[in-house]
Amino acid sequence: MNRMQVGVRVARQVQTAEHAVDQAMIEVCRLVQTALEGRVEARLAAEVGHEALTQMVQGLNRLAEVRAAVIASHDGLAQIADDHRIGWRLDGTREDKMRPTAVAPFAVAA
């Protein structure tokens, strides 16, 4: 396997991992929403299930940390590819990346 094939294979797997973490975060968010809606529909007091809700939110926070680590590894792998002249450009649809001068969407709301 040549360097270009390795680079493309790794790049595809990085993208797959990023999407998997995003999907896990989406599912945990859905769980939080469903649990909260269920509590309200069942007419249960706010303290009912609060500890479980707190654990769900902690899990979401941990997933956000995993997401940050995968993003950091993405940047690190891109640097390695550049340093060693390993081609990795993917064909097909591409995802927009943040530009260094761009404002993060959540920064505006903060």
Side-chain angles (χ1 to χ4, degrees):
M1 189 172 290
N2 68 38
R3 286 183 175 202
M4 178 70 167
Q5 291 169 323
V6 170
V8 169
R9 198 171 110 210
V10 171
R12 283 192 178 123
Q13 190 57 47
V14 167
Q15 191 176 57
T16 298
E18 289 172 344
H19 291 177
V21 175
D22 283 348
Q23 191 59 45
M25 292 179 76
I26 289 166
E27 296 303 329
V28 172
C29 287
R30 287 180 180 154
L31 175 59
V32 169
Q33 180 179 349
T34 301
L36 289 169
E37 289 171 347
R39 185 196 57 78
V40 170
E41 289 170 14
R43 300 182 66 194
L44 298 170
E47 70 246 10
V48 175
H50 181 73
E51 182 60 32
L53 177 66
T54 299
Q55 291 168 343
M56 288 178 224
V57 173
Q58 288 172 349
L60 184 60
N61 186 52
R62 288 184 183 120
L63 284 169
E65 291 171 3
V66 169
R67 188 174 191 273
V70 172
I71 290 168
S73 72
H74 187 159
D75 293 340
L77 288 168
Q79 186 61 51
I80 290 167
D82 289 345
D83 292 348
H84 294 275
R85 296 185 182 124
I86 299 171
W88 59 269
R89 302 288 184 237
L90 298 178
D91 294 330
T93 59
R94 297 190 181 193
E95 298 174 333
D96 290 337
K97 304 287 184 188
M98 285 183 49
R99 292 180 181 86
T101 57
V103 176
F106 299 112
V108 176

